[in-house]
Amino acid sequence: MAKKGARTTEMADYEVHVPLQAVLLADSFAQKFRPITLERPKMLLPLVNVPMIDYTLEWLASAGVEECFVFCCAHANQITSHLNKSPWMSQPDFTVSIIESHDCVSAGDALRVIEQRGVVRGDFVLVSGDTVSNMSLTEVLKEHQERRKKDKLAVMTMVVKKSKPSPLTYQTRLGNDELLLMIDPQSKQLLHYDAVREPGSRDSLQGNYVQRHVSLDRSIFHDRPVVQLSNNLQDCHIDICSPEVLLLFTDNFDYQQLRRDFVKGLLSDEIMGNKIFTYEISNEYAARVDNLRAYDVVSQDIIHRWTYPMVPDILCAGPKASMRLERCNVYKEGGVILARTAMIGENTVLGEDTTVGDNSSIQQSVIGRGCTIGKNVVIEGCHIWDDVRIEDYVQLRYSVVCDGATVKKGAILEPGVVLSFRVVIGSEFRVPAYSKISMVPQPTEEDSSDEELEYADVASGRADSPRSPFTEDQSTRNGSISGDEDDTAEGPNWDPIEVGETGAGYRWAVRDGGQEEEWRHSVAPIPPEKIQEIAAANSEHDVEEVDYDIRALGGRDSLEEEEDEDEEEEDDFEKEVAETFLRAARGVSGVQQEHVVIEVNSLKLAFNKTFADCAGAMFKAIIDLALEAPHPTAKELLSITKDVFSRWGSLLCKFLKGSDDEHEVLLTFEEICIESHKEFAPLFSQVLHMLYDIDVVSEDAIIAWASEKQYADESDKVFLKQSEKFIQWLKEAPEEEDEDEEDDT
Amino acid sequence: MNFQVVVLAGGLSKTMYPLVSKDVPKALLPVGNRPLLSYVLELVEASNIKDIIVVVSGDDAALCVGNWVTEAFHDRLRVEVSGVSEDLDTAEALRAVSHLLTADDFLVVSGDLVCDVPVGAVAAAHRRQGALVTALLWPHPSTPNSETASGDKTKQPTTFDIIGLNSTHQHLLYVSTGMQSARDFQVRSSLLRAVGQMEIRTDLVDAHLYAFNRLLVQGVLESRPGQKSIKHDLVPYLVRSQLGLGVSSTTVGSPLEDRVENVNHLLDAEAFGKNRLPVAHSGLKCSTYIASKDRYCSRVNSLQAYLDVNRDLAGPEAIHLTGYTVSTQNNVIHETSEMGWKSTVGPYCMLGDGSTLGERCSIKRSVVGRHCRIGSNVKIINSVVMNYVTVEDGSLIQNSIICSNVILQERSMLKDCQVGPGYVVGPRMEIKGEALAKKEKL
């Protein structure tokens, strides 16, 4: 199977010292293929009727790798037995060794285990077992090794390929999120690696997670005049690593994921100075089957022969006869029986011993081995694995149907459905779009973070292993499908709403934020309505964005806009002050008045504000506090306000350094009465009096305020009129007032 | 070619103090023994563009420049010299003369540009791209880092432009003019999505030569009175709004009529105040013309630059710009000049007509103007000496600029100095690093 080309001899120079090694991670440490992966590891899922891991091994062998370490964790026994049965274990120039571990939850753990075993001696190729590629490693290895000779810190070379993400959904063809890479165009050094959409934050709201701007540090220009920023490169997840990479994983025991932790960690770590470089391929194929959309896309690529020589007619050497390629990319294996009236459309693969009934039409689909397809069936864009029975008048669109499943007469599968192993869909039942149905009930534990998700996968995978679904598969494959029906008869009470009257299986509920994932990562194409919806949201967002940009343009465009920005800042400042105050007011432990004063003073400096601003903001905060308590009548509100001010008035006074500041407080109060809290309006004069009584505002400030208002519009004078009496009193009795004060002192 | 050229010639620039005076505005400062403005005008003339508007700030200065232009370019170019008020920034100056523009596209050139990049090529690139604005960029000889290391005090400290280009280097996608002092700079992610790949460069210098689409720029200037500077406001605005929306639908080679119609339509919308972003939908792009490395390009925008450009013009880099014939000793010595016994003029020097050197003088890497009288035992190194300067015996001039009609009395020593016109340096004075100027008589 493995073809060793002339490359081996070319590489003879360094092979003298170290044979080319590869580490293949046969565990995705992710959950995207659930529920299927509960019963079978992802690497063994058939991709155009060949287990994914075989594509990877085939490629590694043909690319000149001599030693391959297959690391398995979840469902390790299944992978081991698959490999033992396969010809890989007995190749002359290609040795496959299996490393098993059961307590790994991430790629990081896996690499740490491999480091402990001490099997890796030189530069190695790090891939995941779901990689489909036909690229030659010669060139990238040469580049990597030459770089290493000059610079010991160049620890890794990452393979990238151009792939422009959709401007609407921000995801690539393979369903990956768009990736922001910054590369030095001369040296190809990777400077920045960022998935624009963080996998952790799956907001259901469109546009929320989309960053408006990419912020970059100017310091990157210290060493180089030019950098290249791109979001049209796709990470192929093929890495050429130096042995140091393993050590780095051991040193940084918190590194879990290869990309999110290791690559980002390395790039942000300036002390060690390790560097990552990129290698761009253009004519060769490399893709990782990361999610169901990628599964569909890569399948079609294989059928279209982009991955040559990894194509069905070369790889699928069935026991009877090999696969035949016919016109329009139709592949047929031996023993296929088609009714005369069956229509097989283009880009379709039919596995061994599959029968198709009258008037059925199959398009752009992959049908596995030993499937029975009834009459008048419509299959479009589906992936149907082995031993599936599809009865008459069934319609399947863009679905994945696993081994041994049965779809009974007249059932309809809407796009995006996943039927796991041995599920039965009752007759005339319509399975809603994006449903996932499995014989294994959905695990109930709530997973909060990604790490836990991974862990859960592994844990449940292990839990499943004793039951060994793989062997069960074998039995069902060899035996009759009726066994399944027996299952359903004996089986627990399946919910007919989930799988139809005579169906069997649990429908998995969608987790939080799952809806988003469904259409993004399903095998089904994104429905046009959804695209329209996104387009509408985007254009709205764009307009906003451009507006924002223009405003951000130094604020020089127009005065009006400048004010806008000021206001925003003002809001921030007020919010901060209010929060600071409330911390004290709510009695958060240890926060005292003095602390508030210090904090607000620092805010004042930070926002470049005056004492008047502080006083205004503080006043607002106090008023808000007063409003918090229930106040059915104006009278009660007044008394509450009095209470609050008697407690916090002294704090406010700390920011009143002169009558100007007091003046500002009055203006703020007026604003509150007019705009935000009209309930204060009738109480204006009372509150004013109270503020005067507790020495928050002085007589001078009030009189200054009154005289300023004298010439204002009539509408502005409402409060002045209301408090006319009080002001009159102030003006008339200044002497008295002074005496009072003297008395006090 | 239906292009007009606007030359922003400045006036009595403050950065060039004490070199400029009422009689000699910046545009007429001798550089390589020729007025600075002549380089731009000849550059334009070489591209067969005849309509030129020279914008000078200050009416007096405009008069000076106007007189010189009529004399020098009579019958060669149609030059209109227009004086604008003194405190206008570049975009404001452009706005002030925008009523004089009639051609479809126009070029804006800074009057202090000394370069040999064919203007016609920039104009052609502009037309070919159907661009909104085309900026001439040239690769900086040194990285920004080493520039700061040289401690150039007259230039703006450590600022450099960040310029984003597409992968073919034809479109200008992003401009950050180094005004923002922040450590970070931001790139709009929608822009990146639209173009896929962007090269961000700091090794390109904006030569202050732009080609503009007239209708659009006039529209923008009218509707946005807040824009003051071409480099800091107008160009960034155009660049930002070019790909604002509907990037995928932009067409590069749309026929000219379509474009003009487009523009008209936009300006109508603008007039009604409905459309805030006239540029966004036009499908016009901002493009660039990047000069090749072997071209000479420099701006006389600081005293240091003045010295450098003079030296370059006398040296091998840019001597071809001056049009002088070079002698076998690699220098330019006018035939009417006289040299005394044992006086030497080194390579890469210029000596203007009618200048006399006494005995045992030595001139190295310097430019000496017309009708200078230089005594014996004088050393002039790395300096510029303008016209009608008298240098008495035994003086030393190093790294300095000596303006016209200056008298250096015997044995004076000047190092790193700038001496304003008509100044008299007393005998045996030793001066280092100072700017000397005659007090203005009121």
Side-chain angles (χ1 to χ4, degrees), chain A residues 596-646:
Chain A
V596 177
V597 174
I598 291 168
E599 222 168 296
V600 171
N601 270 330
S602 67
L603 284 172
K604 166 178 167 281
L605 294 173
F607 284 84
N608 195 15
K609 297 286 180 184
T610 59
F611 275 113
D613 294 324
C614 294
M618 183 65 85
F619 184 80
K620 259 191 195 170
I622 296 173
I623 290 280
D624 283 344
L625 183 70
L627 280 167
E628 253 174 37
H631 47 270
T633 66
K635 211 171 178 186
E636 275 172 59
L637 179 62
L638 184 64
S639 70
I640 291 166
T641 314
K642 269 186 182 158
D643 272 2
V644 171
F645 270 98
S646 58

Side-chain angles (χ1 to χ4, degrees), chain B residues 326-348:
Chain B
V326 188
S327 74
T328 45
Q329 280 85 40
N330 278 326
N331 52 21
V332 180
I333 297 173
H334 200 272
E335 54 198 9
T336 58
S337 59
E338 289 169 26
M339 285 198 318
W341 181 65
K342 274 205 164 174
S343 280
T344 54
V345 178
Y348 313 132

